[in-house]
Amino acid sequence: MDRARQCPLRCGRANVFLADTFGASRKFRIMAVNDDCCRENLCLMADTSISGARVARELDALVRIYGKPASIVGDNGTEFTSRAILKWVNENDVEWHYIDSGKPQQNAFIESFNGSLRDELQNKEWFDSLDDARRRLALWRYDYNNVRPHSSLGNQTPAEARRALEQFAGSAHDHCQTVVCETNNERALAQTDDEEYENQTRKLSL
């Protein structure tokens, strides 16, 4: 895996399931995976049923695209405590951190993301079918990642923030990397050797 794919954004916090309906009150669920550092939504997948095995397959797909995270944060839902996920964590050597039951504030960023998704899309749109829901989710996701600037990212979009981190990583010295992450408009710079750098930046959460 090349440097540009190793370093993006694994300092994330992402989470997971929202519910909605389409057509004649048929229920479906939405799985969201977000990168905390750059606020990018990496996955917004809708289906009538989402098992632990399905979550594992989606994580495999994300690993192929973005590289393997150092850690994942998620709640205690049955999908995340399933044998399929425990097997995935063991085989991929990824740390999985569960938030405390009844304390969604420990996953505050993803709760904020879920609130925006509900307010801006789910509460305003009527989905005719599962395909219609997926299409509207894809449009909303594109706007969130590529059009909407975030104050916590210095008024960059999540996609711009990811490209900036990739560019920094690609141009850094082979034995000394500069990690740039902006939080509340304050820029934090940290220089580390390669091993420590990868441990700190390649983090994802569910």
Side-chain angles (χ1 to χ4, degrees):
M1 189 180 304
D2 60 37
R3 175 71 62 186
R5 288 187 61 196
Q6 281 185 352
C7 46
L9 336 175
R10 275 348 67 127
C11 35
R13 183 165 301 267
N15 210 81
V16 170
F17 296 105
L18 299 93
D20 211 319
T21 60
F22 66 87
S25 298
R26 286 202 61 188
K27 295 181 179 180
F28 70 94
R29 307 181 76 196
I30 302 169
M31 172 181 169
V33 181
N34 287 32
D35 184 303
D36 198 27
C37 183
C38 293
R39 300 299 194 260
E40 186 174 21
N41 175 255
L42 307 180
C43 171
L44 198 57
M45 181 267 293
D47 213 332
T48 53
S49 177
I50 303 177
S51 65
R54 178 67 182 278
V55 172
R57 290 197 299 271
E58 294 297 326
L59 291 176
D60 282 334
L62 291 177
V63 167
R64 288 193 294 270
I65 296 170
Y66 298 100
K68 187 173 71 172
S71 63
I72 295 176
V73 176
D75 59 28
N76 291 277
T78 55
E79 299 84 2
F80 297 148
T81 57
S82 66
R83 290 183 179 180
I85 290 301
L86 297 177
K87 181 174 181 287
W88 187 91
V89 168
N90 183 62
E91 291 179 348
N92 288 274
D93 193 25
V94 172
E95 293 183 16
W96 194 291
H97 301 286
Y98 293 99
I99 65 173
D100 295 332
S101 298
K103 294 188 176 180
Q105 65 272 19
Q106 293 180 355
N107 225 358
F109 164 55
I110 196 62
E111 290 300 319
S112 175
F113 173 86
N114 290 346
S116 296
L117 179 59
R118 280 190 293 265
D119 292 342
E120 298 170 13
L121 182 65
Q122 292 179 270
N123 292 344
K124 293 183 177 181
E125 301 289 346
W126 175 264
F127 304 120
D128 295 326
S129 64
L130 184 59
D131 285 342
D132 181 46
R134 288 168 172 167
R135 181 181 64 83
R136 294 174 186 268
L137 284 167
L139 291 172
W140 187 89
R141 177 177 180 264
Y142 179 86
D143 180 81
Y144 178 88
N145 283 338
N146 297 279
V147 178
R148 185 185 314 181
H150 292 236
S151 59
S152 61
L153 299 174
N155 290 320
Q156 296 181 102
T157 67
E160 289 171 338
R162 173 174 56 82
R163 288 193 293 269
L165 276 184
E166 290 174 344
Q167 191 172 32
F168 269 105
S171 61
H173 189 275
D174 286 344
H175 299 290
C176 184
Q177 305 297 336
T178 301
V179 183
V180 180
C181 185
E182 294 188 5
T183 305
N184 298 326
N185 293 322
E186 295 181 0
R187 173 169 293 189
L189 298 177
Q191 291 187 327
T192 66
D193 59 28
D194 285 349
E195 182 177 359
E196 183 181 354
Y197 171 77
E198 291 187 11
N199 287 339
Q200 290 182 352
T201 59
R202 298 176 62 199
K203 297 179 183 177
L204 225 190
S205 312
L206 273 177

